[in-house]
Amino acid sequence: MSHPDNPPLATPDTSAGIPTRMTDETTHLPAETGTTRRSFLQTAATGMGTLAALTAAPGLAAQQNPNAQNKVQLSPINNTATEQSSKTPGPYLPPGRRVGYAIVGIGRLSIDQILPAFATSKYCKPVALVSGDRNKASRIAAQYGIPDSNITDYQNYERLKDMPGVEAIYVVLPNSMHKEFTVRGARIGKHILCEKPMATSSADCEAMIAACKQANVRLMIAYRQQYEPMNRFLQETVKAGKLGKVRSVIASHSQNEGDPTQWRLKRALAGGGCLPDVGVYCLNGTRFLTDEEPEEVTAMTVQPKDDPRFAEVESRCSFLLRFPSGMVATLTCAYDVHHSSFLRMEGTEAMAEMDPAFGYHGAKLRFSKLGEADCFGIAGTSGDPKERKEVEFHPEMPDKDQFALEMDHFSQCVMNNRQPRTPGEEGLQDQRIMDAIYKSAATGHTVRIPPPNGPTRGPLPEQNG
């Protein structure tokens, strides 16, 4: 969700490392103990084999990391027989070879998350700012080494065309403004990374896709969760069949909004309330983790009359999605309750739960599956080491900056002329489903959801350490 800085008034736009280490919650034994753990760890070999192949192929490896010759790996100082070895970050591209980004809108998300993420990115750098507040923009520019000449406002947005080093634009504005600044950016030949949700209507999403195709520039929607390591591991686990057949997904993302004057509580700017802001995480997470598209939805929204925050938008939304396989997803989101975020996948052979699930940092994943009692080296209650019992698995992996990961992926797509993992078609499909959710809530009826016209996702991103 984008956070603007004094944006223009909202007038309708008329212009156009994974294998991972797993531990038992109680005994904290090494993950390699026991066949049941090993079967889960084989997910890495099954799902990530193509990544190993990329690394093994010299030509592809060079394309994957064009600065590989500058890699520095320090020798371990711990006993690697008993301690997990560390991995030195990098290598990073030198500044002159990185993709230069113009950040459009320097509000909370840009200042708190996106701009700091450039410090750990490998392939990108901030080179320009677009803001309605020149004084604030100048202070931010000074912190990131951006020349004052590379600051412009929304009215003079097209100046980005001639600014040195600007190859890509990151649109971080209220939802209803995404279309205008994507289309204008494409027309001046810049690649576009746009915050989610993609827009406020399917028609706007389609216009954004068409404009970028006509200009022959890349368009990617910033679904950061799809680049986060824990989510990727869960996705590969599901793909490898380690949960069996997924029958149910249950997810919730909720928070308590404050200032009633903020833009995300204004329908003209946000397009809705909690659904497009936080509910889209539950929706998109279900879609990409299961690789299924829903065929119908039943939904309801709540808009309390006695709360001034929700004079224009819903405070809560719950919806039930049915998929062609028979899987059902029960998803909720809210703007008027204490913060909560979790996702649970229930399969015929195992359960996976992520809690917290949708934050910028700290995702935690847990698997539960029936296995042999001695898989952790502990006999069962009967003394039989082969006694079957419920066992848990907790993947551990380094926390990585999701914004750096998504920007690096887009930068590689720009440098190598490749399709992003989350192109405009992915954002369009979410918008079509959200349109159906609102229709169901308004009519009280189940609404059919047509399948997408084609693939909505590009190839998986490289896993660059």
Side-chain angles (χ1 to χ4, degrees):
M1 172 55 63
S2 50
H3 299 255
D5 59 304
N6 302 327
L9 293 177
T11 54
D13 173 45
T14 56
S15 66
I18 309 183
T20 105
R21 176 171 169 270
M22 294 185 175
T23 58
D24 170 55
E25 184 177 45
T26 304
T27 61
H28 300 284
L29 294 174
E32 289 73 13
T33 304
T35 55
T36 307
R37 288 184 178 198
R38 189 173 298 112
S39 68
F40 262 97
L41 284 169
Q42 285 171 349
T43 301
T46 304
M48 300 296 184
T50 55
L51 302 179
L54 279 174
T55 305
L60 288 175
Q63 188 180 58
Q64 176 187 359
N65 192 340
N67 201 34
Q69 72 276 10
N70 292 325
K71 173 67 177 177
V72 173
Q73 180 61 52
L74 303 177
S75 59
I77 60 173
N78 295 325
N79 186 338
T80 57
T82 62
E83 307 298 322
Q84 185 172 3
S85 60
S86 62
K87 187 172 183 180
T88 304
Y92 303 103
L93 280 182
R97 295 179 59 194
R98 295 183 179 217
V99 173
Y101 282 75
I103 307 300
V104 183
I106 49 173
R108 191 176 307 277
L109 187 64
S110 292
I111 294 174
D112 289 356
Q113 303 296 334
I114 294 171
L115 283 163
F118 284 101
T120 56
S121 70
K122 296 182 179 182
Y123 306 112
C124 47
K125 60 182 177 181
V127 296
L129 299 174
V130 180
S131 172
D133 186 334
R134 180 79 186 199
N135 179 55
K136 180 170 68 170
S138 294
R139 286 184 286 164
I140 295 296
Q143 298 177 44
Y144 288 92
I146 299 172
D148 210 55
S149 58
N150 274 23
I151 300 173
T152 190
D153 56 24
Y154 301 111
Q155 290 72 29
N156 296 291
Y157 179 66
E158 281 70 18
R159 283 190 57 224
L160 292 176
K161 179 179 181 180
D162 301 316
M163 286 186 184
V166 176
E167 297 179 71
I169 293 171
Y170 195 159
V171 178
V172 197
L173 293 167
N175 309 337
S176 64
M177 298 166 66
H178 289 179
K179 174 200 170 186
E180 176 187 351
F181 285 87
T182 294
V183 171
R184 289 171 66 184
R187 287 175 178 170
I188 60 173
K190 305 302 180 184
H191 303 282
I192 307 295
L193 175 58
C194 180
E195 263 303 317
K196 41 65 49 193
M198 184 174 177
T200 57
S201 72
S202 296
D204 280 1
C205 294
E206 291 167 348
M208 294 162 70
I209 294 170
C212 290
K213 286 183 177 178
Q214 183 176 1
N216 196 29
V217 298
R218 294 296 178 189
L219 171 62
M220 177 174 134
I221 310 304
Y223 286 107
R224 56 183 173 79
Q225 295 290 126
Q226 295 205 33
Y227 304 94
E228 191 275 328
M230 199 73 81
N231 279 268
R232 289 194 61 185
F233 182 79
L234 176 56
Q235 178 188 34
E236 295 299 336
T237 301
V238 173
K239 182 179 179 181
K242 299 302 179 181
L243 303 187
K245 294 185 181 298
V246 178
R247 300 298 195 196
S248 174
V249 176
I250 304 166
S252 179
H253 195 193
S254 303
Q255 61 195 42
N256 200 350
E257 291 298 303
D259 181 9
T261 66
Q262 62 178 292
W263 69 264
R264 61 179 50 75
L265 296 176
K266 306 300 179 185
R267 182 169 295 279
L269 284 167
C274 57
L275 176 60
D277 184 11
V278 294
V280 71
Y281 286 100
C282 303
L283 170 59
N284 189 259
T286 300
R287 290 181 53 241
F288 89 83
L289 289 170
T290 64
D291 199 27
E292 283 200 63
E293 297 295 344
E295 60 184 3
E296 64 180 32
V297 62
T298 304
M300 64 180 298
T301 58
V302 176
Q303 189 173 350
K305 299 182 183 299
D306 59 348
D307 193 328
R309 294 177 297 175
F310 306 110
E312 299 183 23
V313 299
E314 78 279 358
S315 65
R316 273 163 279 151
C317 180
S318 297
F319 50 104
L320 186 72
L321 298 170
R322 184 184 297 276
F323 293 76
S325 68
M327 184 185 75
V328 172
T330 306
L331 311 177
T332 65
C333 55
Y335 262 176
D336 60 353
V337 300
H338 185 69
H339 175 71
S340 172
S341 68
F342 69 88
L343 180 141
R344 175 179 290 184
M345 306 184 75
E346 299 171 335
T348 54
E349 297 181 17
M351 179 274 288
E353 183 176 63
M354 192 175 292
D355 187 358
F358 306 115
Y360 298 142
H361 302 281
K364 294 182 180 180
L365 181 58
R366 174 177 70 96
F367 294 101
S368 183
K369 182 177 183 177
L370 187 67
E372 294 178 354
D374 70 346
C375 66
F376 298 128
I378 302 173
T381 54
S382 66
D384 179 4
K386 299 302 181 184
E387 177 189 340
R388 302 280 283 175
K389 60 178 287 187
E390 194 73 12
V391 292
E392 292 191 354
F393 310 88
H394 298 256
E396 294 179 0
M397 57 194 72
D399 190 42
K400 295 188 176 183
D401 192 306
Q402 298 169 29
F403 293 93
L405 292 174
E406 72 178 10
M407 289 190 296
D408 276 346
H409 172 66
F410 189 55
S411 297
Q412 289 177 296
C413 292
V414 168
M415 290 187 291
N416 299 312
N417 193 29
R418 294 204 301 264
Q419 175 79 322
R421 173 63 176 175
T422 52
E425 288 78 5
E426 179 78 336
L428 170 60
Q429 180 63 7
D430 275 342
Q431 185 61 53
R432 285 173 170 165
I433 297 170
M434 287 191 289
D435 290 345
I437 291 170
Y438 279 130
K439 181 177 180 180
S440 174
T443 62
H445 298 125
T446 297
V447 174
R448 296 286 299 178
I449 304 171
N453 296 326
T456 68
R457 298 181 202 101
L460 283 167
E462 297 87 349
Q463 198 71 32
N464 288 324

